[in-house]
């Protein structure tokens, strides 16, 4: 921080302070600079320092401080307007708008003062000859704030009707305000249409598109344009995150989270800005923030999370319920102060309406990680809940046991979901009812389904069910229950014991079936149990099963089952399911036997049979297996079909982790055929469901990695950056591999570079390069080092950039990559030119680049390599010429300037000659060099030579159509035609300049 000794050093200090982050530190420095300005005893210095203060106060949370320096500035203007230069005169009138808005946002400023100030603004603008447009805009703000719709509409119309002049807000800010009013009046489509030029980057400013992105969130949700809303949140929040002055826009993002099922993300946003709870400098934005805090806390409370610990004002811990009460009281008290000042109830009504909004979307995945809320995620059931049939709802006033019993029997006989829960309800009601004794068969069913619900711990319960089935006079079903008990033991790893346990039921059920004392379903139940146990042996083998006896035994058991059941299922869903599962077992055996094609066909058959039987949820596992085999066989179309079918057939019954896995696989398949947009949708769903399943740090991080990559492919840089940063928080080398970490850093570096965040881009690329440095193959390391050097150069760090380019060049040389080496040398030359006395170094580096091309050409061993090296040589000569021409502009000696330009022209001539040798494939490179050479000829006073070069360019495009590039819409060749048109236009300009030079 240099000493302020004169006006120039003061201006430099103010410029440096203006580049600092918003906040109290920047404001304090502005206050200090005003003191320094006063010591200079230069009126304009004080005026500029006061203007600097005003600016930093306006772009901070201390907006209330603006009034004092502005009053002083206005007094100085009234006393000595001649002390103000043209810029400061303009700035003084410009800041009138800040004052009117600033007063409106401070409830202690009387409304009469605001109106008086509005009149003063109109008077002074009229005296200065300015349009009334800014005045009417300010009047509209006053009317809208107090809820005077009629006056607001009049002022709004007058605002639009008045001429735009130097005092009008920038296009971006005006469009934001105009769209905001249309959205307020329920005209969301019109608002979004007005905002389009800002959203597309046509108009920007210090706070735009930041506020437009925030304001667009609710209109987009109301119009069901959910993908755009998600994108605007990710892109917009990234812009406002570091800007202290944008509490109102920040509140819009918290509100968005509360209304889209993203409460956990909303809590993270609150945690990032604790000062927003207490900053007093801008009461209106504090009211907006506290209102959405209440909304978010109410959403948590509705989800049963009133006791959830949440971020709040510093100094104590808060639960959601406590923070809701605190924020509501503070917000309504603030609103009441505004209303008392305004004489209306409008501000309080708006605040209450905002606090009590209902969700606009129950679930809108964002793709970024967010710690789940503390409840067992009552807020996150996987997909739409499967509706329980009305007759068995426990909410019924007086459930009838007979009805519940019949429904439970129907569900179990048809293998429907919720059969276990239905039998549990029957058991509870029977236990609670006095004098009710269920039949033995019903008690057997209860025990059987309770055992199913216990999973691997259900062996004893199955044995109990077997006893009850026997008492009920169904020995076949008793044996089937014993077979199920044996299978549960196999699941626990006790396969030999399970086979021993199933042997007796197997022998006995076949005997009973032969004697006609049990039916196909009971016998099939035992045979299925035995087949499943034998399949466990197959499953526990690593890789392909070596012991043919194990395969043969399992296959024999499955075929015995199919021989019993196949063709006898009829309308019996349970038997149809046995057939389908049998075919699925044969599919597994085929894959273990080294026959993936046969396995795929059998999995497809099994899945189709489950669907045909009306049991699509059972097909999901086998469609997923089929997808894996199809992928292995290179049949990506079948893999995609199977994955889509699995998601469709799983419906509401898919567990979150299964849904995540299927979406992730589908993302990879769809992305593999170039459909990045659809692939990103599946990766987004995968990330969401992985988080819901509690697998955020593992599967979720991988899904975010994939999602970020697909967004990069679409050029959605801001969204991709948010997602990739989120992924990096959980990606680890141990879990996901160093390749995933490097690729994520690489993509993120690309995003940050595109967003102009070059220092951060360099950091990411250097981090990735450090990991890649350990890899045996060094191409990625070299590329990342080179990219990091580019970012460092763009970040204004030439020394660090040169060091990185040097390292990259060493790596390129070690890899034998001459092109990379040459480009690193050229980049270093341009960096050197930016340093003091760096011209000689720049020349040396460019000379080395030329020599490297020539040396590599001499040893190249194929024609294609030689052609590429010739092209590289041409571009190096061209850049050498540009560099020399640039360096000449810094030289004050006329003779040396001419010598340098001659040298530059020589290099351009070399470039032209090289590109001529490359033929039509290098025509654009040749004409570009030719034109550059032509302009150098004019600088050297050689108009005839310049004209000759211009004509050479025109001849090069003589056969091109005259109406090149007239078509629009991204037709193929449009870029090519645009280059032709630009070259022709420049050649005509050069020709005209040369002719004019001749005439002088």
């Amino acid at each position: 921080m240099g000493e302020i000794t004169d006006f120039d050093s003061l201006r430099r200090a103010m410029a440096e302070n203006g580049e600092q982050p918003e906040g109290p530190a920047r404001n304090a420095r502005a206050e200090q600079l005003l003191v320094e300005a006063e010591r200079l005893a230069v009126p304009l210095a004080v005026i500029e320092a006061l203007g600097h203060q005003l600016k930093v106060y306006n772009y901070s949370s201390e907006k209330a401080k603006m009034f004092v320096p502005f009053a002083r500035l206005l007094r100085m203007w009234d006393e000595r307007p001649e002390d103000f230069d043209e810029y400061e005169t303009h700035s003084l009138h410009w800041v009138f708008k800040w004052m009117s808005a600033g007063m409106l946002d401070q409830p202690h400023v009387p409304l009469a003062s605001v109106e008086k100030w509005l009149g003063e603004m109109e008077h002074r603008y009229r005296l200065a000859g300015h349009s009334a447009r800014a005045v009417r805009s300010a009047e509209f703000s006053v009317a809208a704030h107090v809820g005077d719709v009629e006056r607001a509409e009049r002022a709004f119309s007058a605002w639009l009707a008045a001429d735009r002049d130097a005092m009008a807000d920038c296009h971006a800010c005006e469009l934001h305000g105009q769209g905001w009013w249309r959205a307020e009046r329920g005209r969301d489509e019109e608002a979004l249409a007005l905002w389009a030029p800002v959203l597309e980057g046509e108009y920007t400013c210090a706070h735009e598109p930041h506020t437009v992105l925030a304001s667009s969130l609710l209109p987009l949700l109301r119009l069901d344009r959910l993908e755009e809303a998600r994108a605007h949140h990710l892109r917009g929040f990234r812009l406002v995150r570091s800007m202290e002055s944008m509490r109102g826009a920040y509140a819009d993002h918290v509100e968005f989270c509360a209304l889209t099922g993203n409460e956990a993300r909303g809590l993270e946003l609150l945690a990032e800005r604790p000062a927003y709870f207490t900053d007093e400098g801008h009461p209106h934005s504090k009211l907006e923030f506290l209102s959405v805090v209440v909304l978010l806390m109410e959403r948590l409370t509705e989800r049963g999370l009133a006791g959830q610990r949440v971020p709040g004002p510093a100094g104590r811990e808060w639960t959601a319920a406590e923070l809701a009460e605190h924020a509501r009281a503070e917000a309504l008290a603030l609103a009441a102060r505004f209303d008392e000042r305004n004489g209306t109830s409008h501000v309080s009504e708006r605040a209450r309406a905002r606090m009590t909004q209902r969700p606009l979307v129950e679930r809108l995945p964002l793709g970024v990680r967010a710690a789940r809320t503390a409840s067992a995620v009552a807020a996150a059931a996987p997909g739409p809940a499967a509706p329980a049939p009305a007759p068995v709802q426990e909410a019924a006033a007086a459930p009838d046991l007979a009805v519940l019993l019949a429904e439970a029997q129907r569900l179990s006989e048809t293998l429907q979901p919720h059969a276990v829960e239905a039998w549990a309800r029957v058991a509870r009601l029977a236990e609670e009812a006095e004098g009710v004794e269920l039949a033995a068969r019903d008690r057997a069913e209860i025990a059987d389904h309770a055992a199913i619900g216990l999973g691997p711990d259900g062996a004893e319960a199955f044995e109990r069910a077997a006893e009850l089935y026997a008492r009920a006079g169904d020995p076949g079903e008793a044996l089937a229950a014993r077979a199920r008990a044996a299978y549960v033991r196999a699941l626990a790893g006790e396969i030999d014991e399970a086979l021993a346990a199933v042997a007796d039921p197997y022998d006995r059920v076949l005997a009973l079936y032969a004697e006609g004392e049990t039916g196909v379903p009971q016998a099939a139940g035992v045979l299925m149990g035995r087949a499943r146990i034998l399949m466990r042996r197959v499953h526990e083998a690593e890789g392909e099963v070596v012991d043919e006896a194990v395969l043969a035994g399992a296959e024999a058991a499955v075929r015995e089952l199919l021989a019993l059941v196949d063709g006898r299922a009829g309308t019996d869903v349970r038997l149809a399911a046995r057939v389908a599962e049998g075919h699925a077992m044969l599919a597994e055996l085929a894959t273990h036997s080294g026959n993936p094609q046969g396995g795929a066909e059998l999995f497809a058959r099994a899945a189709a049979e489950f669907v045909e039987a009306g049991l699509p949820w059972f097909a999901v596992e086998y469609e997923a297996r089929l997808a894996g085999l199809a992928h292995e066989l290179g049949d990506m179309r079948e893999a995609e079909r199977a994955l889509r079918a699995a998601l469709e057939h799983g419906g509401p019954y898919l567990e979150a982790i299964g849904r995540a896995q299927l979406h992730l696989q589908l993302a990879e398949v769809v992305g593999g055929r170039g459909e990045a947009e659809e692939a990103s949708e599946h990766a987004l769903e995968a990330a969401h469901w992985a988080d819901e399943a509690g697998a955020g740090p593992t599967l979720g991080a991988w899904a975010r990695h994939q999602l970020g990559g697909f967004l990069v492919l679409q050029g959605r840089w801001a969204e991709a950056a948010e997602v990739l940063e989120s992924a990096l928080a959980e990606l680890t080398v141990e879990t996901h591999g160093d390749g995933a970490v490097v690729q994520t850093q690489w993509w993120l570096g690309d995003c940050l570079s595109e967003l102009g965040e070059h220092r951060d881009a360099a950091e990411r690329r250097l981090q990735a390069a450090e990991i890649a440095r350990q890899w045996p193959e060094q191409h990625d390391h070299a590329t990342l080092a080179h990219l990091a050097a580019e970012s460092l150069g763009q970040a204004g760090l030439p020394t660090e950039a040169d060091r990185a380019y040097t390292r990259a060049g060493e790596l390129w040389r070690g890899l034998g990559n001459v092109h990379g080496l040459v480009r690193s040398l050229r980049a270093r030359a341009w960096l050197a030119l930016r340093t003091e006395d760096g011209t000689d170094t720049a020349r040396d580096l460019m000379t080395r680049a030329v020599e490297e091309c020539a040396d590599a050409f001499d040893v190249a061993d194929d024609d294609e390599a030689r052609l590429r090296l010739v092209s590289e040589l041409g571009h190096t000569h061209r850049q050498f010429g540009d560099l020399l021409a640039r360096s000449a502009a810094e030289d004050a000696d006329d003779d040396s300037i001419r010598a340098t330009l001659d040298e530059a022209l020589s290099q351009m001539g070399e470039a032209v000659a090289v590109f001529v040798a490359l033929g039509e494939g290098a025509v654009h490179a040749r004409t570009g060099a030719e034109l550059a050479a032509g302009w150098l000829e004019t600088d050297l006073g050689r108009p005839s030579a310049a004209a000759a070069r211009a004509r050479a360019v025109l001849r090069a495009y003589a056969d091109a159509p005259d109406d090149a590039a007239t078509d629009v819409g991204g037709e193929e060749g449009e870029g090519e035609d645009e280059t032709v048109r630009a070259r022709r236009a420049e050649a005509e300009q050069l020709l005209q300049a040369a002719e004019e030079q001749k005439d002088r």
Side-chain angles (χ1 to χ4, degrees):
M1 195 176 294
E3 184 181 356
I4 308 301
T5 57
D6 53 27
F7 201 173
D8 286 340
S9 60
L10 174 69
R11 282 174 163 165
R12 285 195 297 272
M14 290 190 294
E16 290 170 6
N17 193 45
E19 296 298 318
Q20 298 306 305
E22 295 178 354
R26 187 170 75 157
N27 295 354
R29 175 61 174 158
E31 292 161 5
Q32 180 186 350
L33 289 173
L34 176 60
V35 174
E36 299 284 353
E38 289 168 335
R39 289 177 182 155
L40 297 177
V42 177
L44 185 58
V46 176
I47 291 167
E48 290 190 11
L50 285 167
H52 178 62
Q53 252 193 16
L54 276 169
K55 183 173 182 180
V56 299
Y57 285 155
N58 185 59
Y59 293 112
S60 79
S61 62
E62 298 181 307
K63 292 177 186 286
K65 290 186 174 183
M66 289 193 300
F67 304 117
V68 172
F70 183 73
R72 184 177 173 187
L73 265 177
L74 196 58
R75 185 172 64 252
M76 293 175 72
W77 168 262
D78 289 338
E79 292 173 354
R80 290 180 56 84
E82 64 271 18
D83 288 342
F84 289 70
D85 63 13
E86 183 179 354
Y87 178 81
E88 293 304 326
T89 300
H90 176 275
S91 297
L92 176 71
H93 287 82
W94 181 271
V95 174
F96 264 95
K97 299 180 294 182
W98 293 357
M99 293 304 107
S100 61
M103 289 180 176
L104 201 59
D105 292 334
Q106 303 288 336
H108 69 276
V109 179
L111 191 62
S113 297
V114 177
E115 295 284 7
K116 181 181 177 181
W117 185 258
L118 191 61
E120 179 74 9
M121 178 182 174
E122 184 167 15
H123 171 68
R124 289 181 179 266
Y125 272 38
R126 189 181 301 115
L127 285 178
H130 296 308
S131 164
R133 188 176 181 93
V135 179
R136 298 285 77 83
S137 172
E139 182 188 2
F140 160 75
S141 298
V142 173
H145 173 75
V146 302
D148 187 343
V149 174
E150 186 177 343
R151 182 187 179 192
E153 288 286 9
R154 286 199 310 272
F156 187 82
S157 298
W159 169 19
L160 299 187
D163 292 336
R164 277 189 59 83
D165 68 349
M167 283 299 113
D169 279 341
C170 75
H171 278 291
C173 288
E174 282 209 327
L175 289 174
H176 173 248
Q178 293 161 16
W180 174 84
W181 183 241
R182 282 170 169 79
E184 282 289 301
R185 306 297 293 155
R187 293 147 64 184
D188 290 336
E189 291 278 10
E190 293 179 33
L192 290 163
L194 270 171
W195 289 331
V198 183
L199 295 169
E200 293 164 6
E202 184 177 346
Y203 301 123
T204 62
C205 71
H207 278 184
E208 295 298 352
H210 314 45
T211 55
V212 163
L213 285 163
S215 296
S216 71
L217 295 172
L218 263 59
L220 287 168
L221 292 175
R222 289 192 291 258
L223 293 171
D224 202 34
R225 290 162 61 172
L226 304 185
E227 177 63 29
E228 291 174 76
R230 171 174 40 242
H232 286 201
H233 168 64
L234 294 177
R235 178 183 164 202
F237 181 69
R238 185 174 190 83
L239 292 173
V240 304
R241 171 183 270 149
S242 63
M243 299 185 72
E244 185 202 41
S245 63
M246 302 204 70
R247 179 162 55 181
Y250 201 99
D252 291 340
H253 287 280
V254 176
E255 178 181 42
F256 168 84
C257 293
L259 298 178
T260 57
N262 287 291
E263 295 87 354
R265 167 109 169 142
L267 293 178
E268 291 189 351
L269 268 57
L270 296 188
E272 285 194 31
R273 280 290 184 181
Y276 277 174
F277 287 97
T278 52
D279 282 346
E280 301 289 347
H282 192 237
H284 194 264
S285 69
K286 183 179 181 182
L287 168 59
E288 293 176 320
F289 182 75
L290 291 174
S291 297
V292 300
V293 168
V294 175
L295 172 66
L296 179 60
M297 296 307 113
E298 291 294 347
R299 290 294 301 139
L300 291 171
T301 300
E302 286 182 26
R303 291 178 177 272
L305 299 170
Q308 165 92 26
R309 293 290 177 190
V310 296
R316 57 162 287 186
E317 291 188 341
W318 297 88
T319 65
E322 291 167 345
L323 185 58
E325 183 179 356
H326 168 81
R328 182 182 289 105
E330 282 220 346
L332 292 178
L334 255 179
R337 288 174 58 200
F338 278 106
D339 285 343
E340 183 180 2
R341 188 270 303 271
N342 298 338
T344 70
S345 60
H346 181 66
V347 174
S348 293
E349 289 169 1
R350 281 178 58 84
R352 288 192 176 92
R354 198 167 195 185
M355 295 174 190
T356 56
Q357 292 176 94
R358 303 304 304 156
L360 294 170
V361 182
E362 190 60 32
R363 180 187 72 87
L364 180 59
L366 301 177
V368 291
R369 62 188 283 273
R372 294 191 304 168
T373 45
S375 103
V377 204
V392 299
Q393 288 180 346
E394 291 186 280
D400 184 280
L401 180 59
V403 172
L404 290 180
L405 187 58
E407 180 62 14
Q409 290 168 341
R410 183 189 71 80
L411 291 173
S412 58
E413 287 171 2
T414 55
L415 299 181
Q416 296 297 306
H418 308 310
V420 170
E421 295 86 345
W423 281 107
R425 284 191 289 270
V426 170
R428 285 197 300 274
L429 186 57
E431 188 177 332
E432 293 167 1
E434 294 183 7
V436 173
E437 180 67 28
L438 290 173
R441 175 73 189 202
D442 295 332
R443 285 185 284 120
E445 291 275 17
I446 289 171
D448 207 356
H449 285 83
I452 295 171
L454 292 171
D457 300 322
E460 292 183 8
F462 277 127
E463 294 288 2
R464 172 64 178 157
E467 293 174 7
L468 291 169
Y469 279 126
R471 291 181 197 172
D474 192 341
E477 199 60 52
L479 294 170
R482 286 179 58 195
R484 289 192 281 277
Y487 175 57
V488 166
R489 291 190 175 92
L491 289 176
E494 302 173 5
I495 298 177
D496 291 338
E497 294 83 347
L499 283 172
V502 82
D504 181 60
Y506 171 72
D507 292 337
R508 289 180 59 191
V509 83
L510 290 179
L512 286 174
Y513 179 69
E515 295 167 4
E517 295 182 16
T518 194
V520 172
Q522 292 76 19
V526 176
L527 295 184
M528 177 57 79
R530 181 169 176 270
R532 286 172 174 169
I533 294 168
L534 290 167
M535 287 298 297
R536 291 302 302 171
R537 278 211 167 140
V538 176
H539 294 153
E540 292 198 353
E542 294 184 4
E544 289 189 7
V545 178
V546 176
D547 190 342
E548 292 293 331
V550 172
L551 282 174
E555 182 175 355
V558 174
R559 294 199 180 279
E560 183 180 18
L561 166 70
L562 290 172
L564 172 68
V565 179
D566 212 359
R568 296 187 176 88
T571 58
D572 190 326
V573 171
R574 291 173 300 177
L575 291 179
R578 302 293 191 207
V579 173
E581 187 176 351
H583 288 135
M585 289 175 172
L586 291 179
E588 291 187 67
L589 292 169
T591 60
H592 278 280
S593 300
N595 180 14
Q597 184 64 52
E601 293 170 0
L602 283 163
F603 275 131
R605 178 176 179 179
E609 287 168 339
F610 275 122
V611 173
E612 187 178 349
L615 306 170
W617 45 89
F618 285 118
V620 173
E621 176 186 352
Y622 306 116
E623 284 160 333
R625 295 285 301 277
L626 169 58
L629 284 175
H631 197 290
E632 179 185 328
L633 293 166
D635 188 349
M636 305 312 293
R637 180 174 295 182
E638 176 63 5
E640 182 178 339
R641 184 210 63 76
L643 289 167
R644 292 187 189 281
L647 281 167
E648 176 189 351
H649 293 144
Y653 310 116
L654 261 179
E655 292 185 357
I657 192 66
R659 193 178 295 273
Q661 291 166 337
L662 289 171
H663 275 296
L664 187 54
Q665 291 176 61
L666 193 50
E668 292 171 351
V669 171
V670 173
R673 58 177 171 82
E675 298 292 336
E677 185 172 351
E678 185 185 352
S680 65
E681 294 171 5
H682 289 294
L684 178 70
E685 289 290 328
H688 171 78
W689 291 114
D691 289 344
E692 295 302 323
T698 52
L699 186 63
W702 180 256
R704 277 182 270 279
H705 158 81
Q706 295 280 59
L707 172 59
F710 292 130
L711 291 171
V712 166
L713 286 174
Q714 297 172 68
R716 294 159 65 176
W717 309 112
E719 296 168 65
E722 282 291 302
V723 170
L724 292 167
E725 287 173 345
S726 181
L728 279 171
E730 292 173 327
L731 278 174
T732 65
V733 170
E734 295 75 20
T735 302
H736 304 94
D738 55 4
V741 176
V742 167
Q743 182 63 79
T744 304
Q745 295 274 27
W746 194 328
W747 281 330
L748 181 54
D750 292 346
C751 293
L752 296 172
S753 179
E754 292 288 341
L755 295 169
E757 300 173 33
H758 299 300
R759 190 181 291 260
D760 290 340
E763 182 180 351
R764 296 299 185 179
R765 287 166 166 174
L766 288 170
Q767 289 170 350
E770 183 60 25
I771 298 174
R773 185 171 66 86
Q774 309 299 327
W775 294 352
E777 208 290 315
Q778 288 288 284
H779 185 272
D780 286 342
H781 181 200
T783 303
L784 285 162
H786 199 113
L787 290 170
E790 286 183 9
S791 294
L792 289 165
Q794 290 169 316
L797 300 168
T799 302
E800 294 83 349
D802 183 75
R803 190 181 304 126
Y805 274 126
T806 301
R807 176 61 180 149
E810 293 168 355
L811 291 166
W812 291 129
R813 186 183 293 281
L815 290 166
N817 189 320
V818 180
H819 301 278
L821 171 59
V822 167
R823 289 167 191 177
S824 67
L825 289 168
R826 294 197 309 238
R828 290 180 61 202
W830 284 107
L831 283 171
L833 196 63
R834 290 159 53 182
T835 63
E836 196 170 337
D837 300 325
T839 302
D840 289 342
T841 301
R843 286 169 176 266
D844 289 345
L845 287 164
M846 277 294 186
T847 300
R848 284 174 55 191
V850 170
E851 291 169 351
E852 292 289 351
C853 287
D855 290 347
F857 182 84
D858 290 340
V859 298
D861 55 6
D862 65 77
D863 291 342
E864 183 178 349
R866 289 192 189 91
L867 281 174
R868 290 184 62 222
L869 285 165
V870 169
S871 177
E872 199 72 72
L873 177 62
H875 289 294
T876 303
H877 280 302
R878 166 67 198 269
Q879 287 200 34
F880 201 167
D882 286 335
L883 181 140
L884 290 167
R886 185 80 56 86
S887 70
E890 303 299 323
D891 195 327
D893 185 295
D894 288 346
D895 289 339
S896 63
I897 287 177
R898 188 171 188 83
T900 302
L901 291 180
D902 265 326
E903 190 180 355
L905 181 59
S906 175
Q907 290 292 337
M908 287 297 182
E910 293 285 353
V912 171
V914 170
F915 292 135
V916 166
L918 288 171
E920 286 302 310
V923 65
H924 295 326
R926 171 166 65 88
T927 56
E930 193 85 73
L931 288 167
W935 290 114
L936 286 170
E937 300 277 18
T938 63
D939 290 339
L940 289 164
R942 302 167 185 169
S944 297
R949 291 189 182 277
R951 293 189 187 96
V953 172
L954 293 172
R955 284 196 302 274
Y957 297 121
D959 295 333
D962 291 335
D963 58 347
T966 54
D967 291 337
V968 294
E971 296 294 329
E972 186 177 354
E974 181 181 347
E976 177 87 2
D977 290 344
E978 184 60 37
T979 301
V980 172
R981 185 163 58 182
R983 291 281 196 273
R984 280 175 164 170
E986 188 178 353
E988 295 288 357
Q989 291 172 354
L990 176 60
L991 194 58
Q992 181 178 351
E995 294 300 329
E996 291 173 354
Q997 196 174 47
K998 284 180 185 178
D999 294 338
R1000 287 201 293 270

